[in-house]
Amino acid sequence: MAASNLEGVLLGMGNPLLDISAVVDEAFLAKYDVKPNNAILAEDKHLPMYDELSSKENVEYIAGGATQNSIRVAQWMLQTPGATSYMGCIGKDKYGEEMKSAAKAAGVTAHYYEDEAAPTGTCAVCVVGGERSLIANLSAANCYKSEHLKKPENWALVEKAKYIYIAGFFLTVSPESIQLVAEHAAANNKVFLMNLSAPFICEFFRDAQEKVLPYADYIFGNETEARIFSKVRGWETENVEEIALKISQLPLASGKQKRIAVITQGADPVVVAEDGKVKTFPVILLPKEKLVDTNGAGDAFVGGFLSQLVQGKSIEDCVKAGCYAANVIIQQSGCTYPEKPDFN
């Protein structure tokens, strides 16, 4: 596909967060009542954690937010400036400026809504033994309004895109924005993709999720999210292949032909359910000593997958690229990557 055809082909919308990442110990997790390998929204009891992380010697500040990570990785894999675009809400502050320069450096066309009052959102990334636990303090990210989306210069990004990806986390912020782009995708024969994103989304935002899933041509998730998704629906199965199949067969909105469910399982094979069949694809195994942290691994998988999908490649190629990107990201801290990909 020629570079010119790729301009603005992929749009993401979500919660732009600055990751505050540090290696901690089990006692730190216990102190703040945080489970390993989870993703939650911050409550009052978590708020002192951000300063404590910031004071650690090994602390790093990395532009994050699930959807933004996936878009940045897709952009990196595509190596075509402006192939991707992104919308979300940041504050008018230092972290917001960092977010803007990170998007620009990545080659992503970012149209941020800038909130006057709220500070840019942050995400505490607690790394223990290479596994990450995420606690998001949305702040400005929570202030995104569909009015911003409807502005002609922003809606133009929607019009231009042929693929639109939104992580489930955005369901807690602006379901009406999601609905607008989901309906636009259905009406214009575009591909709309969603992510289950976290157990709490599947459990506590089920209604919002239920409303938008019929529009999703692709649904991503990991094994933990898939099992919770199954549990809240009373499917009475923990079998990831069965769950992926059931997700792929959930009702579709009018104008949608079919759905593909893609479930990752860490070091275990990726499960893809399509047309009533399940396929599994092995991942690239990494020796434990090379693992830096799993922060951004799932996001990177989606980014790699999308980079091939927008070029009309096969599902197998998409999964391969997803596995490649995830493998690169877990050898770096946070969702960061070397200058050029080495994928073919």
Side-chain angles (χ1 to χ4, degrees):
M1 205 165 168
S4 58
N5 301 355
L6 284 172
E7 199 202 330
V9 69
L10 172 62
L11 167 67
M13 294 176 68
N15 302 334
L17 304 173
L18 192 77
D19 284 355
I20 303 174
S21 175
V23 175
V24 300
D25 53 19
E26 302 280 353
F28 185 92
L29 296 189
K31 175 178 174 181
Y32 289 107
D33 192 22
V34 170
K35 291 193 188 82
N37 220 359
N38 201 4
I40 59 171
L41 293 178
E43 298 168 37
D44 288 346
K45 66 180 177 187
H46 299 120
L47 297 180
M49 176 193 286
Y50 297 85
D51 283 342
E52 191 172 342
L53 280 175
S54 297
S55 69
K56 296 205 174 285
E57 273 170 31
N58 61 19
V59 69
E60 291 183 87
Y61 298 87
I62 307 157
T67 305
Q68 185 163 243
N69 284 344
S70 296
I71 295 297
R72 278 189 15 243
V73 170
Q75 179 61 52
W76 171 67
M77 291 283 287
L78 285 162
Q79 291 288 306
T80 306
T84 65
S85 52
Y86 175 79
M87 288 187 264
C89 184
I90 57 177
K92 292 195 161 179
D93 52 20
K94 187 177 88 204
Y95 287 172
E97 289 307 313
E98 279 186 37
M99 207 70 84
K100 283 194 242 179
S101 55
K104 198 173 172 183
V108 175
T109 306
H111 287 202
Y112 294 113
Y113 169 56
E114 292 181 50
D115 191 84
E116 296 292 335
T120 297
T122 50
C123 183
V125 181
C126 306
V127 180
V128 180
E131 298 288 346
R132 58 83 181 132
S133 197
L134 309 174
I135 305 90
N137 186 12
L138 297 181
S139 299
N142 202 29
C143 302
Y144 191 83
K145 307 275 186 291
S146 56
E147 289 79 64
H148 176 263
L149 173 64
K150 290 175 190 162
K151 285 187 178 159
E153 66 271 27
N154 300 324
W155 190 255
L157 298 180
V158 180
E159 294 279 357
K160 192 179 258 186
K162 295 184 177 70
Y163 296 80
I164 301 169
Y165 172 68
I166 301 179
F169 293 119
F170 203 49
L171 286 165
T172 77
V173 173
S174 188
E176 59 280 12
S177 297
I178 303 179
Q179 201 68 26
L180 283 170
V181 298
E183 288 173 8
H184 166 85
N188 294 278
N189 208 11
K190 295 179 174 186
V191 179
F192 179 67
L193 311 95
M194 288 231 39
N195 202 312
L196 300 179
S197 290
F200 85 87
I201 297 286
C202 301
E203 262 184 298
F204 306 114
F205 290 88
R206 183 184 164 174
D207 294 348
Q209 193 184 50
E210 205 95 302
K211 221 179 135 185
V212 72
L213 289 184
Y215 293 93
D217 301 272
Y218 289 79
I219 293 174
F220 296 95
N222 67 25
E223 76 280 39
T224 317
E225 295 148 10
R227 288 186 175 122
I228 295 284
F229 189 90
S230 165
K231 189 177 146 198
V232 300
R233 280 167 181 71
W235 287 351
E236 293 183 358
T237 176
E238 294 252 306
N239 180 307
V240 173
E241 294 187 23
E242 279 178 38
I243 297 167
L245 201 54
K246 280 181 167 306
I247 290 174
S248 73
Q249 292 167 334
L250 286 169
L252 291 160
S254 71
K256 293 287 169 185
Q257 303 310 308
K258 69 169 187 179
R259 177 182 304 109
I260 298 176
V262 183
I263 308 294
T264 58
Q265 314 186 80
D268 292 328
V270 177
V271 175
V272 177
E274 174 183 15
D275 296 329
K277 295 193 240 344
V278 175
K279 283 187 185 147
T280 59
F281 300 91
V283 305
I284 310 159
L285 293 175
L286 188 73
K288 190 79 178 156
E289 65 274 11
K290 282 193 165 173
L291 172 70
V292 174
D293 69 54
T294 56
N295 183 24
D299 304 334
F301 174 85
V302 173
F305 189 102
L306 290 170
S307 73
Q308 304 308 298
L309 189 68
V310 302
Q311 298 180 76
K313 301 283 177 69
S314 70
I315 289 288
E316 188 168 1
D317 286 346
C318 293
V319 171
K320 270 192 185 134
C323 292
Y324 165 76
N327 184 267
V328 169
I329 263 76
I330 61 177
Q331 297 181 64
Q332 314 247 354
S333 149
C335 198
T336 57
Y337 38 78
E339 195 186 341
K340 290 260 195 296
D342 173 24
F343 175 78
N344 38 39

